[in-house]
mmCIF file of all heavy atoms in Angstrom:
data_model
loop_
_atom_site.group_PDB
_atom_site.id
_atom_site.type_symbol
_atom_site.label_atom_id
_atom_site.label_comp_id
_atom_site.label_asym_id
_atom_site.label_seq_id
_atom_site.Cartn_x
_atom_site.Cartn_y
_atom_site.Cartn_z
ATOM 1 N N GLN A 90 -58.441 10.836 70.356
ATOM 2 C CA GLN A 90 -58.225 9.375 70.093
ATOM 3 C C GLN A 90 -58.894 8.601 71.275
ATOM 4 O O GLN A 90 -59.613 7.585 71.000
ATOM 5 C CB GLN A 90 -56.788 9.037 70.035
ATOM 6 C CG GLN A 90 -56.089 9.633 68.775
ATOM 7 C CD GLN A 90 -56.400 8.907 67.442
ATOM 8 O OE1 GLN A 90 -57.491 8.103 67.429
ATOM 9 N NE2 GLN A 90 -55.819 9.184 66.446
ATOM 10 N N ALA A 91 -58.755 9.070 72.423
ATOM 11 C CA ALA A 91 -59.463 8.342 73.622
ATOM 12 C C ALA A 91 -60.901 8.375 73.464
ATOM 13 O O ALA A 91 -61.631 7.487 73.763
ATOM 14 C CB ALA A 91 -59.018 9.049 74.902
ATOM 15 N N ARG A 92 -61.495 9.509 73.109
ATOM 16 C CA ARG A 92 -62.841 9.637 72.951
ATOM 17 C C ARG A 92 -63.306 8.635 71.785
ATOM 18 O O ARG A 92 -64.396 7.940 71.972
ATOM 19 C CB ARG A 92 -63.271 11.064 72.523
ATOM 20 C CG ARG A 92 -64.807 11.202 72.390
ATOM 21 C CD ARG A 92 -65.180 12.645 71.989
ATOM 22 N NE ARG A 92 -66.573 12.791 71.796
ATOM 23 C CZ ARG A 92 -67.309 13.668 72.564
ATOM 24 N NH1 ARG A 92 -66.794 14.333 73.429
ATOM 25 N NH2 ARG A 92 -68.655 13.615 72.385
ATOM 26 N N ILE A 93 -62.641 8.611 70.679
ATOM 27 C CA ILE A 93 -62.967 7.651 69.649
ATOM 28 C C ILE A 93 -63.038 6.270 70.158
ATOM 29 O O ILE A 93 -63.936 5.544 69.892
ATOM 30 C CB ILE A 93 -62.058 7.808 68.413
ATOM 31 C CG1 ILE A 93 -62.274 9.117 67.683
ATOM 32 C CG2 ILE A 93 -62.136 6.662 67.493
ATOM 33 C CD1 ILE A 93 -61.312 9.502 66.773
ATOM 34 N N ASN A 94 -61.968 5.921 70.857
ATOM 35 C CA ASN A 94 -61.844 4.564 71.468
ATOM 36 C C ASN A 94 -62.972 4.284 72.482
ATOM 37 O O ASN A 94 -63.589 3.095 72.315
ATOM 38 C CB ASN A 94 -60.505 4.330 72.136
ATOM 39 C CG ASN A 94 -59.313 4.349 71.215
ATOM 40 O OD1 ASN A 94 -59.486 3.905 70.106
ATOM 41 N ND2 ASN A 94 -58.189 4.607 71.758
ATOM 42 N N LYS A 95 -63.484 5.180 73.236
ATOM 43 C CA LYS A 95 -64.541 5.075 74.229
ATOM 44 C C LYS A 95 -65.884 4.790 73.472
ATOM 45 O O LYS A 95 -66.699 4.000 73.894
ATOM 46 C CB LYS A 95 -64.653 6.131 75.158
ATOM 47 C CG LYS A 95 -63.588 6.209 76.156
ATOM 48 C CD LYS A 95 -63.950 7.278 77.209
ATOM 49 C CE LYS A 95 -64.036 8.634 76.697
ATOM 50 N NZ LYS A 95 -64.098 9.731 77.758
ATOM 51 N N THR A 96 -65.994 5.495 72.327
ATOM 52 C CA THR A 96 -67.145 5.367 71.518
ATOM 53 C C THR A 96 -67.219 3.993 70.852
ATOM 54 O O THR A 96 -68.272 3.309 70.877
ATOM 55 C CB THR A 96 -67.196 6.494 70.384
ATOM 56 O OG1 THR A 96 -67.067 7.691 71.025
ATOM 57 C CG2 THR A 96 -68.561 6.409 69.595
ATOM 58 N N ILE A 97 -66.112 3.546 70.354
ATOM 59 C CA ILE A 97 -66.017 2.152 69.773
ATOM 60 C C ILE A 97 -66.358 1.178 70.853
ATOM 61 O O ILE A 97 -67.089 0.147 70.526
ATOM 62 C CB ILE A 97 -64.726 1.970 69.084
ATOM 63 C CG1 ILE A 97 -64.604 2.875 67.801
ATOM 64 C CG2 ILE A 97 -64.591 0.489 68.682
ATOM 65 C CD1 ILE A 97 -63.135 2.815 67.192
ATOM 66 N N VAL A 98 -65.901 1.250 71.944
ATOM 67 C CA VAL A 98 -66.077 0.305 73.153
ATOM 68 C C VAL A 98 -67.661 0.269 73.327
ATOM 69 O O VAL A 98 -68.139 -0.800 73.467
ATOM 70 C CB VAL A 98 -65.263 0.591 74.349
ATOM 71 C CG1 VAL A 98 -65.879 -0.167 75.509
ATOM 72 C CG2 VAL A 98 -63.917 0.378 74.147
ATOM 73 N N PHE A 99 -68.304 1.443 73.396
ATOM 74 C CA PHE A 99 -69.747 1.395 73.511
ATOM 75 C C PHE A 99 -70.408 0.712 72.381
ATOM 76 O O PHE A 99 -71.287 -0.109 72.587
ATOM 77 C CB PHE A 99 -70.337 2.835 73.648
ATOM 78 C CG PHE A 99 -71.787 2.942 73.631
ATOM 79 C CD1 PHE A 99 -72.533 2.392 74.597
ATOM 80 C CD2 PHE A 99 -72.459 3.515 72.533
ATOM 81 C CE1 PHE A 99 -73.979 2.449 74.437
ATOM 82 C CE2 PHE A 99 -73.796 3.575 72.383
ATOM 83 C CZ PHE A 99 -74.504 3.054 73.429
ATOM 84 N N LEU A 100 -70.084 1.001 71.123
ATOM 85 C CA LEU A 100 -70.614 0.329 70.017
ATOM 86 C C LEU A 100 -70.515 -1.177 70.010
ATOM 87 O O LEU A 100 -71.489 -1.915 69.696
ATOM 88 C CB LEU A 100 -70.149 0.938 68.706
ATOM 89 C CG LEU A 100 -70.316 2.520 68.482
ATOM 90 C CD1 LEU A 100 -69.819 2.862 67.124
ATOM 91 C CD2 LEU A 100 -71.754 2.928 68.585
ATOM 92 N N GLU A 101 -69.300 -1.550 70.313
ATOM 93 C CA GLU A 101 -69.043 -2.983 70.411
ATOM 94 C C GLU A 101 -69.802 -3.722 71.532
ATOM 95 O O GLU A 101 -69.981 -4.879 71.499
ATOM 96 C CB GLU A 101 -67.526 -3.223 70.495
ATOM 97 C CG GLU A 101 -66.745 -2.890 69.165
ATOM 98 C CD GLU A 101 -65.324 -2.985 69.328
ATOM 99 O OE1 GLU A 101 -64.745 -2.955 70.525
ATOM 100 O OE2 GLU A 101 -64.572 -3.195 68.416
ATOM 101 N N SER A 102 -70.257 -2.941 72.561
ATOM 102 C CA SER A 102 -70.947 -3.514 73.601
ATOM 103 C C SER A 102 -72.393 -3.866 73.307
ATOM 104 O O SER A 102 -73.140 -4.632 73.990
ATOM 105 C CB SER A 102 -70.936 -2.681 74.847
ATOM 106 O OG SER A 102 -71.850 -1.544 74.790
ATOM 107 N N ILE A 103 -72.966 -3.387 72.194
ATOM 108 C CA ILE A 103 -74.304 -3.602 71.832
ATOM 109 C C ILE A 103 -74.480 -4.883 71.091
ATOM 110 O O ILE A 103 -73.832 -5.159 70.096
ATOM 111 C CB ILE A 103 -74.819 -2.508 70.999
ATOM 112 C CG1 ILE A 103 -74.497 -1.057 71.527
ATOM 113 C CG2 ILE A 103 -76.281 -2.650 70.492
ATOM 114 C CD1 ILE A 103 -75.264 -0.819 72.794
ATOM 115 N N PRO A 104 -75.284 -5.822 71.613
ATOM 116 C CA PRO A 104 -75.465 -7.062 71.032
ATOM 117 C C PRO A 104 -76.261 -6.970 69.781
ATOM 118 O O PRO A 104 -77.153 -6.080 69.610
ATOM 119 C CB PRO A 104 -76.348 -7.873 72.062
ATOM 120 C CG PRO A 104 -76.835 -6.963 73.032
ATOM 121 C CD PRO A 104 -75.964 -5.691 72.999
ATOM 122 N N THR A 105 -75.995 -7.890 68.786
ATOM 123 C CA THR A 105 -76.678 -7.759 67.511
ATOM 124 C C THR A 105 -78.192 -7.781 67.712
ATOM 125 O O THR A 105 -78.943 -7.152 66.943
ATOM 126 C CB THR A 105 -76.212 -9.050 66.685
ATOM 127 O OG1 THR A 105 -74.807 -9.097 66.607
ATOM 128 C CG2 THR A 105 -76.800 -9.101 65.272
ATOM 129 N N ASP A 106 -78.703 -8.745 68.595
ATOM 130 C CA ASP A 106 -80.112 -8.808 68.795
ATOM 131 C C ASP A 106 -80.857 -7.553 69.282
ATOM 132 O O ASP A 106 -82.019 -7.424 69.344
ATOM 133 C CB ASP A 106 -80.487 -10.124 69.425
ATOM 134 C CG ASP A 106 -79.978 -10.170 70.884
ATOM 135 O OD1 ASP A 106 -79.366 -9.250 71.430
ATOM 136 O OD2 ASP A 106 -80.219 -11.195 71.603
ATOM 137 N N ALA A 107 -80.069 -6.623 69.871
ATOM 138 C CA ALA A 107 -80.678 -5.463 70.421
ATOM 139 C C ALA A 107 -80.991 -4.507 69.197
ATOM 140 O O ALA A 107 -81.867 -3.566 69.345
ATOM 141 C CB ALA A 107 -79.703 -4.662 71.305
ATOM 142 N N ILE A 108 -80.491 -4.716 67.955
ATOM 143 C CA ILE A 108 -80.710 -3.856 66.835
ATOM 144 C C ILE A 108 -81.529 -4.601 65.754
ATOM 145 O O ILE A 108 -82.374 -4.083 65.243
ATOM 146 C CB ILE A 108 -79.319 -3.301 66.282
ATOM 147 C CG1 ILE A 108 -78.754 -2.295 67.393
ATOM 148 C CG2 ILE A 108 -79.557 -2.633 64.929
ATOM 149 C CD1 ILE A 108 -77.437 -1.742 66.911
ATOM 150 N N ASP A 109 -81.002 -5.759 65.373
ATOM 151 C CA ASP A 109 -81.745 -6.574 64.354
ATOM 152 C C ASP A 109 -83.228 -6.773 64.765
ATOM 153 O O ASP A 109 -83.416 -7.079 65.969
ATOM 154 C CB ASP A 109 -81.058 -7.847 64.105
ATOM 155 C CG ASP A 109 -79.798 -7.751 63.287
ATOM 156 O OD1 ASP A 109 -79.669 -6.625 62.709
ATOM 157 O OD2 ASP A 109 -79.028 -8.679 63.123
ATOM 158 N N GLY A 110 -84.192 -6.701 63.863
ATOM 159 C CA GLY A 110 -85.519 -6.809 64.030
ATOM 160 C C GLY A 110 -86.210 -5.441 64.646
ATOM 161 O O GLY A 110 -87.388 -5.481 64.934
ATOM 162 N N GLN A 111 -85.392 -4.418 64.854
ATOM 163 C CA GLN A 111 -85.889 -3.117 65.255
ATOM 164 C C GLN A 111 -86.186 -2.189 64.098
ATOM 165 O O GLN A 111 -86.393 -0.950 64.395
ATOM 166 C CB GLN A 111 -84.992 -2.553 66.298
ATOM 167 C CG GLN A 111 -84.645 -3.290 67.417
ATOM 168 C CD GLN A 111 -85.939 -3.632 68.272
ATOM 169 O OE1 GLN A 111 -86.654 -2.650 68.583
ATOM 170 N NE2 GLN A 111 -86.023 -4.767 68.780
ATOM 171 N N GLU A 112 -86.188 -2.732 62.858
ATOM 172 C CA GLU A 112 -86.409 -1.781 61.758
ATOM 173 C C GLU A 112 -87.679 -0.944 61.836
ATOM 174 O O GLU A 112 -87.600 0.280 61.315
ATOM 175 C CB GLU A 112 -86.495 -2.731 60.487
ATOM 176 C CG GLU A 112 -85.139 -3.342 60.078
ATOM 177 C CD GLU A 112 -84.819 -4.659 60.976
ATOM 178 O OE1 GLU A 112 -85.719 -5.137 61.696
ATOM 179 O OE2 GLU A 112 -83.710 -5.134 60.730
ATOM 180 N N GLU A 113 -88.742 -1.460 62.329
ATOM 181 C CA GLU A 113 -89.878 -0.766 62.427
ATOM 182 C C GLU A 113 -90.105 0.173 63.705
ATOM 183 O O GLU A 113 -91.035 0.743 64.001
ATOM 184 C CB GLU A 113 -91.142 -1.564 62.218
ATOM 185 C CG GLU A 113 -91.187 -2.157 60.780
ATOM 186 C CD GLU A 113 -91.180 -1.162 59.662
ATOM 187 O OE1 GLU A 113 -91.786 -0.188 59.763
ATOM 188 O OE2 GLU A 113 -90.360 -1.346 58.691
ATOM 189 N N ARG A 114 -89.128 -0.118 64.714
ATOM 190 C CA ARG A 114 -89.225 0.643 65.993
ATOM 191 C C ARG A 114 -89.314 2.208 65.724
ATOM 192 O O ARG A 114 -88.744 2.786 64.792
ATOM 193 C CB ARG A 114 -87.872 0.418 66.637
ATOM 194 C CG ARG A 114 -87.705 1.173 67.852
ATOM 195 C CD ARG A 114 -86.222 1.093 68.488
ATOM 196 N NE ARG A 114 -86.179 1.524 69.779
ATOM 197 C CZ ARG A 114 -85.817 0.790 70.776
ATOM 198 N NH1 ARG A 114 -85.575 -0.421 70.595
ATOM 199 N NH2 ARG A 114 -85.865 1.331 71.994
ATOM 200 N N ALA A 115 -90.247 2.795 66.522
ATOM 201 C CA ALA A 115 -90.471 4.286 66.345
ATOM 202 C C ALA A 115 -89.199 5.060 67.036
ATOM 203 O O ALA A 115 -88.859 4.731 68.156
ATOM 204 C CB ALA A 115 -91.656 4.730 67.017
ATOM 205 N N VAL A 116 -88.608 5.923 66.263
ATOM 206 C CA VAL A 116 -87.424 6.798 66.798
ATOM 207 C C VAL A 116 -88.074 8.137 66.759
ATOM 208 O O VAL A 116 -88.382 8.628 65.679
ATOM 209 C CB VAL A 116 -86.169 6.601 65.832
ATOM 210 C CG1 VAL A 116 -85.148 7.641 66.220
ATOM 211 C CG2 VAL A 116 -85.575 5.212 65.943
ATOM 212 N N THR A 117 -88.038 8.732 67.930
ATOM 213 C CA THR A 117 -88.539 10.200 67.975
ATOM 214 C C THR A 117 -87.338 11.053 68.507
ATOM 215 O O THR A 117 -86.689 10.679 69.394
ATOM 216 C CB THR A 117 -89.689 10.161 68.988
ATOM 217 O OG1 THR A 117 -90.677 9.394 68.444
ATOM 218 C CG2 THR A 117 -90.192 11.624 69.076
ATOM 219 N N MET A 118 -87.178 12.232 67.834
ATOM 220 C CA MET A 118 -86.127 13.046 68.201
ATOM 221 C C MET A 118 -86.588 14.525 67.952
ATOM 222 O O MET A 118 -87.448 14.676 67.128
ATOM 223 C CB MET A 118 -84.821 12.766 67.570
ATOM 224 C CG MET A 118 -84.864 12.703 66.043
ATOM 225 S SD MET A 118 -83.308 12.275 65.472
ATOM 226 C CE MET A 118 -83.522 12.769 63.754
ATOM 227 N N LYS A 119 -85.848 15.403 68.511
ATOM 228 C CA LYS A 119 -86.153 16.819 68.180
ATOM 229 C C LYS A 119 -85.135 17.371 67.205
ATOM 230 O O LYS A 119 -83.947 17.206 67.513
ATOM 231 C CB LYS A 119 -86.088 17.671 69.539
ATOM 232 C CG LYS A 119 -87.316 17.601 70.295
ATOM 233 C CD LYS A 119 -87.392 18.671 71.386
ATOM 234 C CE LYS A 119 -88.762 18.614 72.020
ATOM 235 N NZ LYS A 119 -89.119 19.684 72.798
ATOM 236 N N LEU A 120 -85.685 17.947 66.193
ATOM 237 C CA LEU A 120 -84.699 18.582 65.177
ATOM 238 C C LEU A 120 -85.214 20.094 65.076
ATOM 239 O O LEU A 120 -86.348 20.299 64.808
ATOM 240 C CB LEU A 120 -84.973 17.871 63.878
ATOM 241 C CG LEU A 120 -84.205 16.611 63.704
ATOM 242 C CD1 LEU A 120 -84.620 16.074 62.319
ATOM 243 C CD2 LEU A 120 -82.809 16.642 63.845
ATOM 244 N N ARG A 121 -84.225 20.887 65.527
ATOM 245 C CA ARG A 121 -84.543 22.421 65.484
ATOM 246 C C ARG A 121 -85.853 22.748 66.210
ATOM 247 O O ARG A 121 -86.684 23.474 65.764
ATOM 248 C CB ARG A 121 -84.561 22.853 64.080
ATOM 249 C CG ARG A 121 -83.222 22.816 63.335
ATOM 250 C CD ARG A 121 -83.149 23.396 62.195
ATOM 251 N NE ARG A 121 -81.700 23.423 61.706
ATOM 252 C CZ ARG A 121 -81.333 23.384 60.489
ATOM 253 N NH1 ARG A 121 -82.143 23.171 59.545
ATOM 254 N NH2 ARG A 121 -79.978 23.325 60.223
#
Side-chain angles (χ1 to χ4, degrees):
Q90 293 286 10
R92 183 185 181 116
I93 290 170
N94 290 333
K95 289 188 299 187
T96 305
I97 291 172
V98 167
F99 169 67
L100 299 181
E101 290 174 336
S102 76
I103 306 299
T105 304
D106 62 1
I108 294 178
D109 282 348
Q111 300 298 315
E112 291 78 9
E113 298 303 316
R114 172 193 194 112
V116 171
T117 302
M118 61 182 192
K119 280 197 174 188
L120 287 173
R121 296 189 171 144

